[in-house]
Amino acid sequence: MKRISHDLPGVTSRIAKLRDELTLATEEAERVWRDDKGRAYFKQRISPIAPTLTQLVSSLTRSIEIFEDIAKKVQDPEAD
């Protein structure tokens, strides 16, 4: 079983990169596959993926901020 990475900034960056690669690959495939079946496939299967990945990246970024804030408060509870 593959070990899960606990490097949230690295994971976030990797997911964002994969989203961008998916966008480029989709654009290339759409230029070739321009019939009704292709358009339906991209609309149904591919289009929802990029916004979902964007939301995931945003959530991970926010989680990182929260964890960093908690770590600061644990180190110095008087700081605000």
Side-chain angles (χ1 to χ4, degrees):
M1 183 164 77
K2 188 174 180 181
R3 185 167 182 246
I4 297 173
S5 173
H6 297 290
D7 173 23
L8 283 180
V11 169
T12 303
S13 175
R14 181 74 178 132
I15 292 170
K17 183 179 177 183
L18 289 171
R19 180 202 52 213
D20 296 343
E21 290 174 6
L22 173 66
T23 299
L24 289 174
T26 299
E27 289 171 356
E28 288 178 27
E30 284 179 321
R31 283 193 287 276
V32 175
W33 198 8
R34 298 186 302 180
D35 61 359
D36 289 339
K37 187 175 182 179
R39 282 190 290 276
Y41 176 82
F42 286 108
K43 184 177 180 182
Q44 182 181 25
R45 303 284 184 179
I46 304 298
S47 294
I49 296 172
T52 301
L53 291 175
T54 297
Q55 184 178 13
L56 176 58
V57 168
S58 177
S59 295
L60 287 171
T61 300
R62 180 66 185 131
S63 295
I64 292 165
E65 292 169 358
I66 291 169
F67 291 146
E68 288 174 349
D69 187 48
I70 291 169
K72 287 177 188 175
K73 288 179 180 175
V74 167
Q75 288 179 336
D76 186 4
E78 301 295 322
D80 243 342

